[in-house]
Amino acid sequence: MMGNVGSTLAWLAPNAVWIYVVIYLLTHPHVAEKWGAILNRLFSKISRRAEMRSVALDIQGRIDGFSKSINSEVSGIMPYGVKIEWVTGELTKESFFKDGKIILRMNYHSNQDENVVRAATEYISRGMLSDSRPYVDERIMKSADLISTKKLIEKERRPALQFYYGEILSPARKSDSELDKYVLIMQQLDEHGYFSQILLRELQRLGVTMQFSIPEESVKEETKRFVEFLDEKINKKKPGVDVGTTFVGEKIRTTIVYVARMETVTIEPSLGFIERCVNKGIDTIYVCARGAYNISLVKELEERLESHPKLTRVFQNEVRLPLLRGRRVDNICVRYDVAESDAET
Amino acid sequence: MRKHTIRAVHEQDIGELLKSLGLSDLMTKGELRCGICGSTVNLDNLLCIYPSKDEVKVCCKNPECYERVLRETE
């Protein structure tokens, strides 16, 4: 018995690294795809197939990596991975029409910046919030697509940003001043850390609520008002104003509670505000704070709300924001779903 | 995880594909037009090929044209 264990350990020890690598790649397929792209690139000069595999795997790895990270923030925003399917020169008209899909032109891997931007644009406009799209105002959706694609490129292929700005983002902003306004609002929301955590999450929820309903202009209009509300209450918020703020629409009913030293020295006002919201038919409550002290207050608040009969804590995200006014700041956002009750709305 | 498929043609196969779809001659004659903005499409500014009813259409690299193609082929 001891001999068996000993020989197993003797085998495992030198192979442990390899076993770890294999398990890691199996559980992180986007990393495997990126490595596959690098390996194929080595042979791309002598093999046509290796060149194509290198281009495809690199794109798949980057997009899948991004969708995994954004889904970990708010699950279900990008429910699909991506697969590049190559079409060769032998495609007939019949099979072209049968498939009914567009065929995107891809360059050699030496122009991968352009390839990634083109594929990301298509992926985001099809794969992100696919159930919600019919119910969201067109400009709001397009702005969300533009900012999400920018985030993808920023995270996964920074050198391609220049191409993205020059060829996609700037022309789109210049061509439509209202779109430009929403792009800037969403960019600012992202800098505050609330673009995906609050805006995309609420748009995703809208898709679930509305599923199979006929899209109505009033709902689209509501998405526009919601974005303007976030701009007013988050982007333009002055310190010391409001413990929390509420948006009550026909489909979106959300409260954002700020826990901040400027507004309160204890959590009692926040608790009182949350309690009033619970009784007003609000669907979701976001509790947000920035900086170590305020985050500790949120954690205290979380403890107090743990046993609340109508609140379910569904998500908590603690991130270090990129530079905000020249310094990095920790940020927390906790989301509570409110159980349906006899609301007084 | 389910996958969204992006169909793509590599630069090295584009000439053959245009031939198979009957677009090569039109391009040589300078008669191939963007299905959205109507500008002449050549190998420098061709971005994608898409089906529209019974026609094979092409789209130039203008981002607005591409966006409309994405919406029309949803």
Side-chain angles (χ1 to χ4, degrees), chain A residues 65 100 113 177 185 268 278 284 289 333:
Chain A
D113 285 355
S177 60
I185 290 175
E268 297 310 321
V278 167
T284 317
C333 184

Side-chain angles (χ1 to χ4, degrees), chain A residues 33 48 51-52 55 64 67 71 78-93 95-97 99-108 114 118-119 121-123 125-126 138 142 167-168 171 175, chain B residues 1-23 42-57 61-64 66-67 69-74:
Chain A
E33 286 174 322
R48 206 173 155 271
E51 159 65 25
M52 289 163 89
V55 169
D64 289 346
S67 67
N71 281 333
M78 292 183 188
Y80 306 108
V82 73
K83 185 177 182 348
I84 304 291
E85 188 183 282
W86 290 112
V87 169
T88 61
E90 292 125 36
L91 183 80
T92 60
K93 269 191 182 178
S95 53
F96 174 69
F97 284 114
D99 200 69
K101 278 187 173 170
I102 71 166
I103 299 175
L104 188 59
R105 180 184 177 186
M106 295 272 181
N107 222 312
Y108 286 90
E114 185 174 345
R118 302 286 185 209
T121 306
E122 180 177 339
Y123 170 77
S125 73
R126 300 239 200 256
E138 207 174 287
K142 191 173 168 184
E167 298 293 320
I168 312 281
S175 70
Chain B
M1 193 186 219
R2 283 188 298 163
K3 299 273 183 185
H4 166 73
T5 305
I6 295 178
R7 280 182 114 198
V9 59
H10 194 277
E11 191 69 24
Q12 58 200 359
D13 292 324
I14 189 77
E16 277 300 306
L17 181 67
L18 289 170
K19 230 182 258 174
S20 316
L21 296 174
L23 302 171
N42 52 40
L43 277 179
D44 290 331
N45 68 347
L46 170 69
L47 179 59
C48 71
I49 305 168
Y50 66 99
S52 175
K53 294 175 187 158
D54 295 337
E55 273 185 90
V56 182
K57 290 194 174 178
K61 282 189 176 175
N62 183 333
E64 282 180 48
Y66 181 45
E67 194 216 321
V69 170
L70 289 174
R71 253 187 289 146
E72 281 179 18
T73 53
E74 259 173 354

Side-chain angles (χ1 to χ4, degrees), chain A residues 69-70 72-74 151 155 189-198 287-292 295 298-299 315-324 327-334:
Chain A
S69 84
I70 202 151
S72 72
E73 271 185 57
V74 186
K151 278 168 73 74
K155 179 174 182 293
L189 283 176
D190 194 39
E191 284 162 15
H192 287 284
Y194 301 136
F195 170 69
S196 38
Q197 285 176 26
I198 297 181
V287 181
C288 307
R290 189 168 294 161
I295 289 175
V298 170
K299 296 204 166 150
F315 175 76
Q316 180 192 324
N317 194 28
E318 221 174 318
V319 288
R320 175 157 279 198
L321 294 176
L323 286 178
L324 200 74
R327 63 195 179 98
R328 294 177 81 86
V329 186
D330 291 324
N331 179 71
I332 193 168
C333 184
V334 188

Side-chain angles (χ1 to χ4, degrees), chain A residues 2-175:
Chain A
M2 286 297 282
N4 280 346
V5 173
S7 61
T8 308
L9 281 176
W11 180 84
L12 271 178
N15 293 307
V17 174
W18 291 110
I19 292 167
Y20 174 78
V21 169
V22 169
I23 292 172
Y24 183 81
L25 292 178
L26 285 174
T27 51
H28 296 76
H30 62 284
V31 179
E33 286 174 322
K34 285 180 187 170
W35 278 103
I38 292 169
L39 288 175
N40 276 287
R41 202 174 306 151
L42 298 174
F43 304 100
S44 61
K45 286 257 178 350
I46 51 167
S47 161
R48 206 173 155 271
R49 286 173 67 89
E51 159 65 25
M52 289 163 89
R53 259 194 244 122
S54 156
V55 169
L57 288 173
D58 182 71
I59 292 171
Q60 288 170 197
R62 291 176 199 281
I63 293 181
D64 289 346
F66 178 73
S67 67
K68 193 179 172 193
S69 84
I70 202 151
N71 281 333
S72 72
E73 271 185 57
V74 186
S75 77
I77 283 187
M78 292 183 188
Y80 306 108
V82 73
K83 185 177 182 348
I84 304 291
E85 188 183 282
W86 290 112
V87 169
T88 61
E90 292 125 36
L91 183 80
T92 60
K93 269 191 182 178
E94 288 71 32
S95 53
F96 174 69
F97 284 114
K98 195 177 160 196
D99 200 69
K101 278 187 173 170
I102 71 166
I103 299 175
L104 188 59
R105 180 184 177 186
M106 295 272 181
N107 222 312
Y108 286 90
H109 76 262
S110 48
N111 287 322
Q112 192 68 347
D113 285 355
E114 185 174 345
N115 291 337
V116 170
V117 169
R118 302 286 185 209
T121 306
E122 180 177 339
Y123 170 77
I124 295 279
S125 73
R126 300 239 200 256
M128 184 178 85
L129 296 172
S130 42
D131 293 339
S132 311
R133 287 182 171 266
Y135 310 107
V136 179
D137 174 80
E138 207 174 287
R139 279 198 181 90
I140 297 295
M141 201 64 245
K142 191 173 168 184
S143 310
D145 285 349
L146 288 167
I147 294 296
S148 302
T149 310
K150 177 185 151 286
K151 278 168 73 74
L152 188 159
I153 296 164
E154 216 167 51
K155 179 174 182 293
E156 293 290 336
R157 194 167 173 105
R158 206 167 263 263
L161 272 177
Q162 203 178 347
F163 179 84
Y164 178 68
Y165 289 150
E167 298 293 320
I168 312 281
L169 190 61
S170 299
R173 290 179 59 193
K174 275 182 196 153
S175 70

